[in-house]
Amino acid sequence: MSSEQERFVTDTTKVGSETRDARIGASGTDNRFNSKLREAFGSSPFILTKFDRFMEWVRGSSMFMLQFGIACCSIEMMHTYAVKHDLDRFGAGVPRASPRQADVIIVPGTIVSKFAPRMKRVYDQMPEPKFVVGMGSCTISGGPFQEGYNVIKGAEEVIPVDIHVPGCPPRPEALVYGVAKLQERIANGESSPVTVKPYELEQFSDLDRDEVVDKLAEQIDEDDLVMRYNWADSP
Amino acid sequence: MSLEESTPETVEQTTAEEIDALLGDLVIDRDDHLNAPGFVVRPDEVQDTLFRLRDEAGYDHLSCVTAQEYEDRYESIYHLKKYDDPTDEVSVVVPTPTDDPVSESAEPVYRTADWHEREAYDLVGVQYEDHPDLRRILLPETWQGHPLGRDYDQDRPQIVPLREHANPLQEDHQSDAGDTMFLNIGPHHPATHGVLHLKTVLDGEQVVDVESDIGYLHRCEEQICQQGTYRYQIMPYPDRWDYISAGLLNEWAYARVAEDLADIDVPEYAQVIRTMGAELCRIAAHMLAVGTFALDVYGDFTAIFMYAVRDREKVQNILEEMTGQRLMFNYFRLGGVVWDLPEPREDFFELIRDFLDDLPEALEEYHDLISANEILQVRTVDTGVLPPEVAKSYGATGPVARGSGIDYDLRRDDPYGYYDELDWDVPVEDGCDNYSRLLVRLREVEESAKIIEQCVDLLEDWPEDERTIQSNVPRTIRPDDDTEIYRAVEGAKGELGIYVRADGTEKPARFKIRSPCFSNLQTLPEMSNGEYIPDLIASLGSLDIVLGEVDR
């Protein structure tokens, strides 16, 4: 036995003190504990920081993703969660089945008019603070389907998006990069405030009267939430 | 060359004259399509015609209903086939005047016409008399206009309502047997495989009624294809119909229809590459189907799903080597493929052979984990039963039909590509339940592996100076005006067919996609009414639907 290993103690009463002392040791920190974090702390194992900064770091380090599949991109998203790419390595990974347990929504696919209000509802159900990763060209702009009569020209028409990951679909590596960037920004307190809201769900009776509204007035209850798509003016 | 018109086989086919004699005075005109004779009938005699064709001539498979608007009329086309011999086709054409587009429904004859006609009503605007439930199916109920009609204004504002979900505790009267509860599943739900909304009515734990609400991923694929030119602009889109990596299988559907329409040959070498690529895609698609089915049945996100994704990754690596993309391959071109196999070829073949060598062991693992698993058997054997007659009436194809004992596979019955030169079998199980459909998929993976192995053998020995990847194709393809064709291939989920009408320009005038999932999903109420909710979820998983293909 080498001299270093003799310091290891099995007596339980001594473990609490001697083992720990041995690990920290007079000769400095055990190799296993020489993390970047520890280096940053220096000789003193205390940190002084603002509570907000600390919380930002915490948020960025444990992201809970909403398990949310729309179209082609969701296949690559599943690959990102699964073996080989394993998003959980970055502390951003176990998909949650309920929006109420999640703080990141990855929007993987084409948003069409029938689905947009539902997606907005799911987004609204997530607790604050919440973040959105737009995955793929369809989520950014409607992508290859942009000229379709039914396709929303980007998720940003409905919910605010923090990070756009381009591609059709983006490779899992690209999504990992996007999520890592999001984490970095959250940890630095850079996440963008909610700004873009061109379309809101509103009550049917609040809409401006026009031909379409008049026509639908008999079919739709005044209190129904509706989404109005002005295709001519959308980007 | 198997892409040419297939010669009549030993099975006696019904000739056009025989059908003409059978239908007699019902026929008012003839309108022959490239694939089949077409008989024009009056809009109030659709049911008579179809009953005769089904019961007396044996056309038991309504594979597709196409609706379109001409300058002077609307037209519905019923594409009929036989499950015993899919090359024996006939089309029934029903013109209706523009000012009164009312036609008799085919739903009493073929149950599958229910959704197909709702779609025709939704997108084109033809109305069907006697239809049990003629509402919009893909677009929101408040949508104004019919987008594939001629006078549709795409810039018109639209209003889409978001109704509060029905109160689950409120009494409803959809069933007479006691109190029921209404339960929404989806459109955002882990078990619906995408954005599908199931409106279920429950009596205790049992499903009394289930209605699929689709259209949450209706990406206007038909319109987009009608805006694209035949030669290059349409090919990327098939990848995005059935996006579970079945890209090459879908591309083949378009390649086949366009090549037959424009009379383009495909070199044999390219056919072998296509066959190999398509079967690799089939393995990838079935792997995910099996993985997510296990995920649905016992929530196993850890082992089986990961095993399935592990094997998919291997297939995707091979396909990426071959096509340059991971999921949306865009590898086929009319008249061949875009480029040859990657250099060095030995390394590429070794990659495939390594995968094939590992596959038996991997499949053994699946059988240990899934099909031999007692829990899964308890959950799937004798649940979600779909009798063959019901499956046929709904136009089910692919593993769903083959799990119900229907021996129907277009690769063998309507040969294309290189399939008829190779040695493989069509797996059929007659259990009609969720378990059979799972087994069919696992056995199809084995058969696909057989095909790939034979293709690799062929490609390895192919002489270097005969590696023609593409035939001579005109730069702009302009098929003759008013040529119509319907062609189908065996996709991962079943019969994937395309109807195209050319109008003499370089873009199709009507591009209709018959997706297997659309027809398969219609069988869900038959499978799950009276069963428990978890069996409904298992049945849905065993159908292996892809919403991109259901909604298109």
PDB file of all heavy atoms in Angstrom, chain A residues 76 79 114 144 147 149-150 168 171 224-225 227 229 231, chain B residues 154 156 158 160 162-163 213-214 218 237 240 312-313 320 326:
ATOM      1  N   GLU A  76     -36.182  14.133 -35.443  1.00  0.00           N
ATOM      2  CA  GLU A  76     -34.808  14.471 -35.074  1.00  0.00           C
ATOM      3  C   GLU A  76     -34.726  14.881 -33.610  1.00  0.00           C
ATOM      4  O   GLU A  76     -33.727  14.644 -32.950  1.00  0.00           O
ATOM      5  CB  GLU A  76     -34.275  15.596 -35.973  1.00  0.00           C
ATOM      6  CG  GLU A  76     -34.013  15.175 -37.405  1.00  0.00           C
ATOM      7  CD  GLU A  76     -32.904  14.144 -37.545  1.00  0.00           C
ATOM      8  OE1 GLU A  76     -33.072  13.033 -36.999  1.00  0.00           O
ATOM      9  OE2 GLU A  76     -31.904  14.412 -38.194  1.00  0.00           O
ATOM     10  N   HIS A  79     -34.391  11.815 -31.644  1.00  0.00           N
ATOM     11  CA  HIS A  79     -33.010  11.341 -31.711  1.00  0.00           C
ATOM     12  C   HIS A  79     -32.112  12.148 -30.795  1.00  0.00           C
ATOM     13  O   HIS A  79     -31.155  11.625 -30.241  1.00  0.00           O
ATOM     14  CB  HIS A  79     -32.493  11.427 -33.144  1.00  0.00           C
ATOM     15  CG  HIS A  79     -32.891  10.255 -33.972  1.00  0.00           C
ATOM     16  ND1 HIS A  79     -32.036   9.226 -34.240  1.00  0.00           N
ATOM     17  CD2 HIS A  79     -34.049   9.939 -34.557  1.00  0.00           C
ATOM     18  CE1 HIS A  79     -32.663   8.322 -34.967  1.00  0.00           C
ATOM     19  NE2 HIS A  79     -33.883   8.735 -35.175  1.00  0.00           N
ATOM     20  N   LYS A 114     -55.147  25.455 -37.800  1.00  0.00           N
ATOM     21  CA  LYS A 114     -55.974  24.762 -36.822  1.00  0.00           C
ATOM     22  C   LYS A 114     -55.201  24.484 -35.543  1.00  0.00           C
ATOM     23  O   LYS A 114     -55.768  24.424 -34.455  1.00  0.00           O
ATOM     24  CB  LYS A 114     -56.465  23.439 -37.431  1.00  0.00           C
ATOM     25  CG  LYS A 114     -57.600  22.781 -36.691  1.00  0.00           C
ATOM     26  CD  LYS A 114     -58.133  21.606 -37.505  1.00  0.00           C
ATOM     27  CE  LYS A 114     -59.189  20.830 -36.756  1.00  0.00           C
ATOM     28  NZ  LYS A 114     -59.673  19.680 -37.535  1.00  0.00           N
ATOM     29  N   PRO A 144     -40.630  25.146 -46.325  1.00  0.00           N
ATOM     30  CA  PRO A 144     -41.042  24.748 -47.672  1.00  0.00           C
ATOM     31  C   PRO A 144     -42.543  24.863 -47.895  1.00  0.00           C
ATOM     32  O   PRO A 144     -42.996  24.814 -49.029  1.00  0.00           O
ATOM     33  CB  PRO A 144     -40.577  23.296 -47.778  1.00  0.00           C
ATOM     34  CG  PRO A 144     -40.286  22.855 -46.402  1.00  0.00           C
ATOM     35  CD  PRO A 144     -39.993  24.049 -45.586  1.00  0.00           C
ATOM     36  N   GLU A 147     -45.993  28.772 -48.817  1.00  0.00           N
ATOM     37  CA  GLU A 147     -47.026  29.262 -49.716  1.00  0.00           C
ATOM     38  C   GLU A 147     -48.349  28.535 -49.560  1.00  0.00           C
ATOM     39  O   GLU A 147     -49.281  28.775 -50.312  1.00  0.00           O
ATOM     40  CB  GLU A 147     -46.528  29.171 -51.156  1.00  0.00           C
ATOM     41  CG  GLU A 147     -45.509  30.240 -51.444  1.00  0.00           C
ATOM     42  CD  GLU A 147     -44.842  30.053 -52.785  1.00  0.00           C
ATOM     43  OE1 GLU A 147     -45.424  29.381 -53.650  1.00  0.00           O
ATOM     44  OE2 GLU A 147     -43.740  30.571 -52.961  1.00  0.00           O
ATOM     45  N   TYR A 149     -51.997  27.445 -48.175  1.00  0.00           N
ATOM     46  CA  TYR A 149     -53.113  28.275 -47.752  1.00  0.00           C
ATOM     47  C   TYR A 149     -53.387  28.165 -46.273  1.00  0.00           C
ATOM     48  O   TYR A 149     -54.134  28.931 -45.708  1.00  0.00           O
ATOM     49  CB  TYR A 149     -54.378  27.901 -48.534  1.00  0.00           C
ATOM     50  CG  TYR A 149     -54.647  26.407 -48.590  1.00  0.00           C
ATOM     51  CD1 TYR A 149     -55.281  25.765 -47.555  1.00  0.00           C
ATOM     52  CD2 TYR A 149     -54.247  25.654 -49.686  1.00  0.00           C
ATOM     53  CE1 TYR A 149     -55.506  24.411 -47.588  1.00  0.00           C
ATOM     54  CE2 TYR A 149     -54.476  24.296 -49.739  1.00  0.00           C
ATOM     55  CZ  TYR A 149     -55.109  23.672 -48.688  1.00  0.00           C
ATOM     56  OH  TYR A 149     -55.314  22.334 -48.721  1.00  0.00           O
ATOM     57  N   ASN A 150     -52.801  27.187 -45.625  1.00  0.00           N
ATOM     58  CA  ASN A 150     -53.191  26.850 -44.260  1.00  0.00           C
ATOM     59  C   ASN A 150     -52.032  27.007 -43.283  1.00  0.00           C
ATOM     60  O   ASN A 150     -52.185  26.755 -42.102  1.00  0.00           O
ATOM     61  CB  ASN A 150     -53.674  25.391 -44.275  1.00  0.00           C
ATOM     62  CG  ASN A 150     -54.329  24.975 -43.003  1.00  0.00           C
ATOM     63  OD1 ASN A 150     -54.953  25.781 -42.334  1.00  0.00           O
ATOM     64  ND2 ASN A 150     -54.210  23.717 -42.655  1.00  0.00           N
ATOM     65  N   CYS A 168     -33.782  21.716 -42.252  1.00  0.00           N
ATOM     66  CA  CYS A 168     -35.033  21.088 -42.642  1.00  0.00           C
ATOM     67  C   CYS A 168     -34.848  19.594 -42.777  1.00  0.00           C
ATOM     68  O   CYS A 168     -34.689  19.098 -43.857  1.00  0.00           O
ATOM     69  CB  CYS A 168     -35.547  21.670 -43.956  1.00  0.00           C
ATOM     70  SG  CYS A 168     -37.188  21.080 -44.376  1.00  0.00           S
ATOM     71  N   ARG A 171     -30.102  18.875 -37.866  1.00  0.00           N
ATOM     72  CA  ARG A 171     -29.556  17.637 -37.309  1.00  0.00           C
ATOM     73  C   ARG A 171     -29.641  17.712 -35.792  1.00  0.00           C
ATOM     74  O   ARG A 171     -29.710  18.801 -35.223  1.00  0.00           O
ATOM     75  CB  ARG A 171     -28.105  17.478 -37.720  1.00  0.00           C
ATOM     76  CG  ARG A 171     -27.876  17.392 -39.190  1.00  0.00           C
ATOM     77  CD  ARG A 171     -26.389  17.345 -39.444  1.00  0.00           C
ATOM     78  NE  ARG A 171     -25.805  16.176 -38.825  1.00  0.00           N
ATOM     79  CZ  ARG A 171     -25.640  15.008 -39.468  1.00  0.00           C
ATOM     80  NH1 ARG A 171     -26.004  14.895 -40.712  1.00  0.00           N
ATOM     81  NH2 ARG A 171     -25.118  13.968 -38.857  1.00  0.00           N
ATOM     82  N   ASP A 224     -66.456  32.833 -27.404  1.00  0.00           N
ATOM     83  CA  ASP A 224     -65.438  31.898 -27.881  1.00  0.00           C
ATOM     84  C   ASP A 224     -64.136  32.621 -28.149  1.00  0.00           C
ATOM     85  O   ASP A 224     -64.118  33.709 -28.717  1.00  0.00           O
ATOM     86  CB  ASP A 224     -65.892  31.264 -29.208  1.00  0.00           C
ATOM     87  CG  ASP A 224     -66.501  29.906 -28.980  1.00  0.00           C
ATOM     88  OD1 ASP A 224     -66.553  29.478 -27.821  1.00  0.00           O
ATOM     89  OD2 ASP A 224     -66.908  29.275 -29.963  1.00  0.00           O
ATOM     90  N   LEU A 225     -63.034  31.979 -27.740  1.00  0.00           N
ATOM     91  CA  LEU A 225     -61.741  32.528 -28.097  1.00  0.00           C
ATOM     92  C   LEU A 225     -61.466  32.161 -29.546  1.00  0.00           C
ATOM     93  O   LEU A 225     -61.688  31.031 -29.969  1.00  0.00           O
ATOM     94  CB  LEU A 225     -60.654  31.932 -27.199  1.00  0.00           C
ATOM     95  CG  LEU A 225     -60.698  32.389 -25.756  1.00  0.00           C
ATOM     96  CD1 LEU A 225     -59.609  31.698 -24.966  1.00  0.00           C
ATOM     97  CD2 LEU A 225     -60.513  33.892 -25.661  1.00  0.00           C
ATOM     98  N   MET A 227     -58.807  32.941 -33.130  1.00  0.00           N
ATOM     99  CA  MET A 227     -57.576  33.485 -33.669  1.00  0.00           C
ATOM    100  C   MET A 227     -57.896  33.969 -35.074  1.00  0.00           C
ATOM    101  O   MET A 227     -58.499  33.260 -35.848  1.00  0.00           O
ATOM    102  CB  MET A 227     -56.534  32.391 -33.720  1.00  0.00           C
ATOM    103  CG  MET A 227     -55.155  32.912 -33.629  1.00  0.00           C
ATOM    104  SD  MET A 227     -54.065  31.573 -33.244  1.00  0.00           S
ATOM    105  CE  MET A 227     -53.149  32.237 -31.930  1.00  0.00           C
ATOM    106  N   TYR A 229     -56.536  35.123 -38.661  1.00  0.00           N
ATOM    107  CA  TYR A 229     -55.365  35.095 -39.525  1.00  0.00           C
ATOM    108  C   TYR A 229     -55.580  36.051 -40.669  1.00  0.00           C
ATOM    109  O   TYR A 229     -56.504  35.890 -41.450  1.00  0.00           O
ATOM    110  CB  TYR A 229     -55.134  33.696 -40.093  1.00  0.00           C
ATOM    111  CG  TYR A 229     -54.905  32.667 -39.029  1.00  0.00           C
ATOM    112  CD1 TYR A 229     -55.864  31.724 -38.746  1.00  0.00           C
ATOM    113  CD2 TYR A 229     -53.728  32.659 -38.313  1.00  0.00           C
ATOM    114  CE1 TYR A 229     -55.653  30.778 -37.760  1.00  0.00           C
ATOM    115  CE2 TYR A 229     -53.510  31.731 -37.321  1.00  0.00           C
ATOM    116  CZ  TYR A 229     -54.482  30.792 -37.052  1.00  0.00           C
ATOM    117  OH  TYR A 229     -54.266  29.868 -36.083  1.00  0.00           O
ATOM    118  N   TRP A 231     -54.012  36.616 -43.748  1.00  0.00           N
ATOM    119  CA  TRP A 231     -52.968  36.015 -44.586  1.00  0.00           C
ATOM    120  C   TRP A 231     -52.280  37.061 -45.457  1.00  0.00           C
ATOM    121  O   TRP A 231     -51.082  36.967 -45.721  1.00  0.00           O
ATOM    122  CB  TRP A 231     -53.566  34.936 -45.486  1.00  0.00           C
ATOM    123  CG  TRP A 231     -54.201  33.830 -44.728  1.00  0.00           C
ATOM    124  CD1 TRP A 231     -55.524  33.560 -44.615  1.00  0.00           C
ATOM    125  CD2 TRP A 231     -53.541  32.813 -43.969  1.00  0.00           C
ATOM    126  NE1 TRP A 231     -55.732  32.458 -43.838  1.00  0.00           N
ATOM    127  CE2 TRP A 231     -54.531  31.983 -43.422  1.00  0.00           C
ATOM    128  CE3 TRP A 231     -52.203  32.538 -43.688  1.00  0.00           C
ATOM    129  CZ2 TRP A 231     -54.251  30.880 -42.625  1.00  0.00           C
ATOM    130  CZ3 TRP A 231     -51.912  31.436 -42.892  1.00  0.00           C
ATOM    131  CH2 TRP A 231     -52.936  30.628 -42.369  1.00  0.00           C
TER     132      TRP A 231
ATOM    133  N   GLN B 154     -56.660  33.038 -51.666  1.00  0.00           N
ATOM    134  CA  GLN B 154     -55.781  32.612 -50.576  1.00  0.00           C
ATOM    135  C   GLN B 154     -55.484  33.734 -49.585  1.00  0.00           C
ATOM    136  O   GLN B 154     -55.023  33.477 -48.479  1.00  0.00           O
ATOM    137  CB  GLN B 154     -54.478  32.074 -51.159  1.00  0.00           C
ATOM    138  CG  GLN B 154     -53.811  31.073 -50.240  1.00  0.00           C
ATOM    139  CD  GLN B 154     -52.544  30.516 -50.836  1.00  0.00           C
ATOM    140  OE1 GLN B 154     -52.516  30.136 -51.986  1.00  0.00           O
ATOM    141  NE2 GLN B 154     -51.503  30.455 -50.048  1.00  0.00           N
ATOM    142  N   ARG B 156     -57.662  35.772 -48.311  1.00  0.00           N
ATOM    143  CA  ARG B 156     -58.814  36.124 -47.492  1.00  0.00           C
ATOM    144  C   ARG B 156     -58.538  35.827 -46.019  1.00  0.00           C
ATOM    145  O   ARG B 156     -57.981  34.791 -45.690  1.00  0.00           O
ATOM    146  CB  ARG B 156     -59.982  35.264 -47.974  1.00  0.00           C
ATOM    147  CG  ARG B 156     -61.261  35.618 -47.321  1.00  0.00           C
ATOM    148  CD  ARG B 156     -62.363  34.795 -47.909  1.00  0.00           C
ATOM    149  NE  ARG B 156     -63.624  35.345 -47.506  1.00  0.00           N
ATOM    150  CZ  ARG B 156     -64.785  34.899 -47.923  1.00  0.00           C
ATOM    151  NH1 ARG B 156     -64.827  33.907 -48.779  1.00  0.00           N
ATOM    152  NH2 ARG B 156     -65.895  35.430 -47.503  1.00  0.00           N
ATOM    153  N   GLN B 158     -59.008  34.536 -42.261  1.00  0.00           N
ATOM    154  CA  GLN B 158     -59.733  33.379 -41.734  1.00  0.00           C
ATOM    155  C   GLN B 158     -59.786  33.504 -40.220  1.00  0.00           C
ATOM    156  O   GLN B 158     -58.904  34.106 -39.605  1.00  0.00           O
ATOM    157  CB  GLN B 158     -59.022  32.074 -42.104  1.00  0.00           C
ATOM    158  CG  GLN B 158     -58.914  31.816 -43.589  1.00  0.00           C
ATOM    159  CD  GLN B 158     -60.210  31.324 -44.213  1.00  0.00           C
ATOM    160  OE1 GLN B 158     -61.172  31.011 -43.510  1.00  0.00           O
ATOM    161  NE2 GLN B 158     -60.240  31.263 -45.531  1.00  0.00           N
ATOM    162  N   VAL B 160     -60.260  31.199 -36.737  1.00  0.00           N
ATOM    163  CA  VAL B 160     -60.256  29.836 -36.223  1.00  0.00           C
ATOM    164  C   VAL B 160     -60.609  29.865 -34.747  1.00  0.00           C
ATOM    165  O   VAL B 160     -59.954  30.563 -33.971  1.00  0.00           O
ATOM    166  CB  VAL B 160     -58.869  29.187 -36.418  1.00  0.00           C
ATOM    167  CG1 VAL B 160     -58.849  27.795 -35.840  1.00  0.00           C
ATOM    168  CG2 VAL B 160     -58.510  29.166 -37.880  1.00  0.00           C
ATOM    169  N   LEU B 162     -61.121  28.606 -30.818  1.00  0.00           N
ATOM    170  CA  LEU B 162     -60.550  27.694 -29.832  1.00  0.00           C
ATOM    171  C   LEU B 162     -61.616  27.498 -28.776  1.00  0.00           C
ATOM    172  O   LEU B 162     -61.753  28.303 -27.871  1.00  0.00           O
ATOM    173  CB  LEU B 162     -59.284  28.283 -29.220  1.00  0.00           C
ATOM    174  CG  LEU B 162     -58.685  27.477 -28.086  1.00  0.00           C
ATOM    175  CD1 LEU B 162     -58.046  26.216 -28.593  1.00  0.00           C
ATOM    176  CD2 LEU B 162     -57.674  28.280 -27.307  1.00  0.00           C
ATOM    177  N   ARG B 163     -62.374  26.446 -28.914  1.00  0.00           N
ATOM    178  CA  ARG B 163     -63.453  26.221 -27.942  1.00  0.00           C
ATOM    179  C   ARG B 163     -62.856  25.623 -26.686  1.00  0.00           C
ATOM    180  O   ARG B 163     -61.918  24.839 -26.734  1.00  0.00           O
ATOM    181  CB  ARG B 163     -64.475  25.249 -28.532  1.00  0.00           C
ATOM    182  CG  ARG B 163     -65.130  25.780 -29.787  1.00  0.00           C
ATOM    183  CD  ARG B 163     -66.628  25.978 -29.601  1.00  0.00           C
ATOM    184  NE  ARG B 163     -67.131  27.009 -30.524  1.00  0.00           N
ATOM    185  CZ  ARG B 163     -67.378  26.775 -31.816  1.00  0.00           C
ATOM    186  NH1 ARG B 163     -67.176  25.595 -32.318  1.00  0.00           N
ATOM    187  NH2 ARG B 163     -67.827  27.743 -32.586  1.00  0.00           N
ATOM    188  N   ASP B 213     -60.081  13.553 -34.689  1.00  0.00           N
ATOM    189  CA  ASP B 213     -60.161  14.903 -35.230  1.00  0.00           C
ATOM    190  C   ASP B 213     -58.792  15.201 -35.822  1.00  0.00           C
ATOM    191  O   ASP B 213     -57.818  15.370 -35.095  1.00  0.00           O
ATOM    192  CB  ASP B 213     -60.503  15.863 -34.083  1.00  0.00           C
ATOM    193  CG  ASP B 213     -60.631  17.285 -34.572  1.00  0.00           C
ATOM    194  OD1 ASP B 213     -60.700  17.482 -35.787  1.00  0.00           O
ATOM    195  OD2 ASP B 213     -60.657  18.192 -33.717  1.00  0.00           O
ATOM    196  N   ILE B 214     -58.710  15.218 -37.138  1.00  0.00           N
ATOM    197  CA  ILE B 214     -57.408  15.404 -37.761  1.00  0.00           C
ATOM    198  C   ILE B 214     -57.338  16.791 -38.400  1.00  0.00           C
ATOM    199  O   ILE B 214     -58.291  17.551 -38.331  1.00  0.00           O
ATOM    200  CB  ILE B 214     -57.120  14.307 -38.804  1.00  0.00           C
ATOM    201  CG1 ILE B 214     -58.146  14.348 -39.925  1.00  0.00           C
ATOM    202  CG2 ILE B 214     -57.100  12.959 -38.146  1.00  0.00           C
ATOM    203  CD1 ILE B 214     -57.859  13.372 -41.038  1.00  0.00           C
ATOM    204  N   HIS B 218     -52.187  19.863 -41.479  1.00  0.00           N
ATOM    205  CA  HIS B 218     -52.534  19.892 -42.893  1.00  0.00           C
ATOM    206  C   HIS B 218     -51.692  20.964 -43.576  1.00  0.00           C
ATOM    207  O   HIS B 218     -52.000  22.142 -43.492  1.00  0.00           O
ATOM    208  CB  HIS B 218     -54.022  20.172 -43.047  1.00  0.00           C
ATOM    209  CG  HIS B 218     -54.440  20.340 -44.466  1.00  0.00           C
ATOM    210  ND1 HIS B 218     -54.184  19.388 -45.411  1.00  0.00           N
ATOM    211  CD2 HIS B 218     -55.069  21.333 -45.108  1.00  0.00           C
ATOM    212  CE1 HIS B 218     -54.650  19.804 -46.575  1.00  0.00           C
ATOM    213  NE2 HIS B 218     -55.184  20.984 -46.418  1.00  0.00           N
ATOM    214  N   TYR B 237     -40.824  17.154 -51.699  1.00  0.00           N
ATOM    215  CA  TYR B 237     -41.984  17.122 -50.802  1.00  0.00           C
ATOM    216  C   TYR B 237     -42.380  15.725 -50.329  1.00  0.00           C
ATOM    217  O   TYR B 237     -42.776  15.575 -49.175  1.00  0.00           O
ATOM    218  CB  TYR B 237     -43.160  17.874 -51.434  1.00  0.00           C
ATOM    219  CG  TYR B 237     -42.923  19.361 -51.373  1.00  0.00           C
ATOM    220  CD1 TYR B 237     -42.407  20.055 -52.445  1.00  0.00           C
ATOM    221  CD2 TYR B 237     -43.128  20.050 -50.189  1.00  0.00           C
ATOM    222  CE1 TYR B 237     -42.125  21.398 -52.366  1.00  0.00           C
ATOM    223  CE2 TYR B 237     -42.853  21.397 -50.101  1.00  0.00           C
ATOM    224  CZ  TYR B 237     -42.351  22.066 -51.194  1.00  0.00           C
ATOM    225  OH  TYR B 237     -42.060  23.392 -51.085  1.00  0.00           O
ATOM    226  N   ARG B 240     -41.526  14.585 -46.966  1.00  0.00           N
ATOM    227  CA  ARG B 240     -42.164  15.196 -45.797  1.00  0.00           C
ATOM    228  C   ARG B 240     -43.585  14.708 -45.583  1.00  0.00           C
ATOM    229  O   ARG B 240     -44.273  15.234 -44.720  1.00  0.00           O
ATOM    230  CB  ARG B 240     -42.114  16.722 -45.959  1.00  0.00           C
ATOM    231  CG  ARG B 240     -40.699  17.233 -45.801  1.00  0.00           C
ATOM    232  CD  ARG B 240     -40.504  18.601 -46.375  1.00  0.00           C
ATOM    233  NE  ARG B 240     -39.141  19.073 -46.166  1.00  0.00           N
ATOM    234  CZ  ARG B 240     -38.100  18.751 -46.932  1.00  0.00           C
ATOM    235  NH1 ARG B 240     -38.260  17.970 -47.975  1.00  0.00           N
ATOM    236  NH2 ARG B 240     -36.895  19.203 -46.654  1.00  0.00           N
ATOM    237  N   ARG B 312     -31.959   2.576 -35.513  1.00  0.00           N
ATOM    238  CA  ARG B 312     -32.307   3.583 -36.514  1.00  0.00           C
ATOM    239  C   ARG B 312     -31.112   4.453 -36.862  1.00  0.00           C
ATOM    240  O   ARG B 312     -30.893   4.804 -38.005  1.00  0.00           O
ATOM    241  CB  ARG B 312     -33.416   4.477 -35.967  1.00  0.00           C
ATOM    242  CG  ARG B 312     -34.745   4.289 -36.593  1.00  0.00           C
ATOM    243  CD  ARG B 312     -35.708   5.240 -35.949  1.00  0.00           C
ATOM    244  NE  ARG B 312     -35.476   6.601 -36.402  1.00  0.00           N
ATOM    245  CZ  ARG B 312     -36.015   7.119 -37.499  1.00  0.00           C
ATOM    246  NH1 ARG B 312     -36.806   6.396 -38.238  1.00  0.00           N
ATOM    247  NH2 ARG B 312     -35.778   8.362 -37.846  1.00  0.00           N
ATOM    248  N   GLU B 313     -30.341   4.799 -35.827  1.00  0.00           N
ATOM    249  CA  GLU B 313     -29.158   5.624 -36.078  1.00  0.00           C
ATOM    250  C   GLU B 313     -28.238   4.940 -37.080  1.00  0.00           C
ATOM    251  O   GLU B 313     -27.677   5.590 -37.964  1.00  0.00           O
ATOM    252  CB  GLU B 313     -28.397   5.875 -34.772  1.00  0.00           C
ATOM    253  CG  GLU B 313     -29.027   6.889 -33.847  1.00  0.00           C
ATOM    254  CD  GLU B 313     -28.760   8.329 -34.285  1.00  0.00           C
ATOM    255  OE1 GLU B 313     -28.062   8.539 -35.275  1.00  0.00           O
ATOM    256  OE2 GLU B 313     -29.285   9.235 -33.616  1.00  0.00           O
ATOM    257  N   GLU B 320     -27.346   8.377 -44.836  1.00  0.00           N
ATOM    258  CA  GLU B 320     -26.687   9.668 -44.947  1.00  0.00           C
ATOM    259  C   GLU B 320     -25.475   9.567 -45.863  1.00  0.00           C
ATOM    260  O   GLU B 320     -25.225  10.440 -46.697  1.00  0.00           O
ATOM    261  CB  GLU B 320     -26.268  10.153 -43.564  1.00  0.00           C
ATOM    262  CG  GLU B 320     -25.825  11.596 -43.564  1.00  0.00           C
ATOM    263  CD  GLU B 320     -25.304  12.036 -42.219  1.00  0.00           C
ATOM    264  OE1 GLU B 320     -25.667  11.411 -41.209  1.00  0.00           O
ATOM    265  OE2 GLU B 320     -24.536  12.993 -42.186  1.00  0.00           O
ATOM    266  N   ARG B 326     -29.805  13.374 -43.610  1.00  0.00           N
ATOM    267  CA  ARG B 326     -30.132  12.442 -42.542  1.00  0.00           C
ATOM    268  C   ARG B 326     -31.591  12.013 -42.567  1.00  0.00           C
ATOM    269  O   ARG B 326     -31.920  10.907 -42.171  1.00  0.00           O
ATOM    270  CB  ARG B 326     -29.859  13.114 -41.198  1.00  0.00           C
ATOM    271  CG  ARG B 326     -28.898  12.404 -40.332  1.00  0.00           C
ATOM    272  CD  ARG B 326     -28.742  13.181 -39.065  1.00  0.00           C
ATOM    273  NE  ARG B 326     -29.720  12.757 -38.092  1.00  0.00           N
ATOM    274  CZ  ARG B 326     -29.505  11.769 -37.223  1.00  0.00           C
ATOM    275  NH1 ARG B 326     -28.363  11.147 -37.204  1.00  0.00           N
ATOM    276  NH2 ARG B 326     -30.429  11.425 -36.360  1.00  0.00           N
TER     277      ARG B 326
END
